[in-house]
Amino acid sequence: MMSLYAMSNRWGDVDRIKDVMYNEGLKPGPIWSWTQIDDRAHVFYAGGKPHEDEGEIYFELYQLVSEIKELGYVADMACVHQQVDDDAEGEKLLLSHTEKLAITYGLMKRRSSSSAPIRVIKNTRTCSDCHTAAKFISIARGCEILLKDGIRFHHFKAGKCSCNDYW
């Protein structure tokens, strides 16, 4: 419900739902994505423990977003589920989505000669902004990305997704 209210800019209702959840002792489950690099799982949590290479990952992600913006990517502000003062603040929040961090880390650690796809698993459904970003990243870096979200598998290649943008 909170996400639906947030998408409709009903911030008072978002706060009301949060209060009810808090009073009932309910907490949303953790949101995470992971990728495997050299037989080690690297997990990225939303609002949780930061990754050991977080600074480098965000530096690379900023560069990557600049590249895909040149290709036509526009951040989908409907995927920002917090009240923000401006689009710049919203774009920063979108950068922290766990699948973007995992994809970026996979790209950073990928061997230059490797044609193996970047593989990411996420425990919840991917948002439309991350879906669009992954399509543009597949163009910018000439790579394939396999993303298993909470509902289905997505195979991004050359700016297209196997779900045909229906997920």
Side-chain angles (χ1 to χ4, degrees):
M1 280 308 291
M2 280 193 303
S3 295
L4 291 173
Y5 286 143
M7 287 170 35
S8 301
N9 288 322
R10 294 173 56 180
W11 301 110
D13 290 323
V14 170
D15 291 338
R16 184 178 52 80
I17 296 289
K18 284 182 182 179
D19 289 342
V20 168
M21 288 178 67
Y22 177 79
N23 291 335
E24 295 295 323
L26 300 172
K27 294 193 305 186
I31 297 172
W32 50 260
S33 294
W34 67 270
T35 189
Q36 183 176 332
I37 309 291
D38 296 329
D39 297 326
R40 180 173 169 223
H42 294 267
V43 184
F44 300 87
Y45 295 97
K49 180 182 173 188
H51 189 275
E52 61 192 22
D53 295 326
E54 183 177 77
E56 292 174 58
I57 295 167
Y58 274 104
F59 180 79
E60 180 67 23
L61 183 54
Y62 275 103
Q63 291 180 322
L64 187 56
V65 168
S66 292
E67 283 179 48
I68 64 176
K69 280 183 175 181
E70 289 179 16
L71 296 172
Y73 164 78
V74 177
D76 184 352
M77 300 310 288
C79 296
V80 177
H81 295 153
Q82 297 177 29
Q83 191 169 13
V84 294
D85 294 329
D86 59 26
D87 284 354
E89 189 178 349
E91 285 189 38
K92 285 181 185 176
L93 287 172
L94 291 173
L95 289 176
S96 66
H97 285 195
T98 61
E99 59 269 48
K100 281 186 187 146
L101 298 172
I103 290 169
T104 302
Y105 193 68
L107 288 168
M108 288 170 53
K109 298 301 179 179
R110 184 177 182 202
R111 291 177 184 87
S112 60
S113 62
S114 176
S115 62
I118 305 298
R119 292 177 172 87
V120 174
I121 297 176
K122 180 177 174 70
N123 70 330
T124 59
R125 185 175 182 217
T126 193
C127 72
S128 61
D129 181 70
C130 291
H131 191 270
T132 300
K135 291 192 303 185
F136 278 102
I137 291 168
S138 73
I139 296 169
R141 296 296 170 94
C143 67
E144 293 182 46
I145 301 167
L146 300 175
L147 171 63
K148 165 63 176 97
D149 71 10
I151 296 176
R152 65 176 34 120
F153 285 92
H154 301 270
H155 180 195
F156 301 96
K157 182 178 179 181
K160 301 209 182 312
C161 180
S162 59
C163 75
N164 292 317
D165 297 335
Y166 178 78
W167 77 104

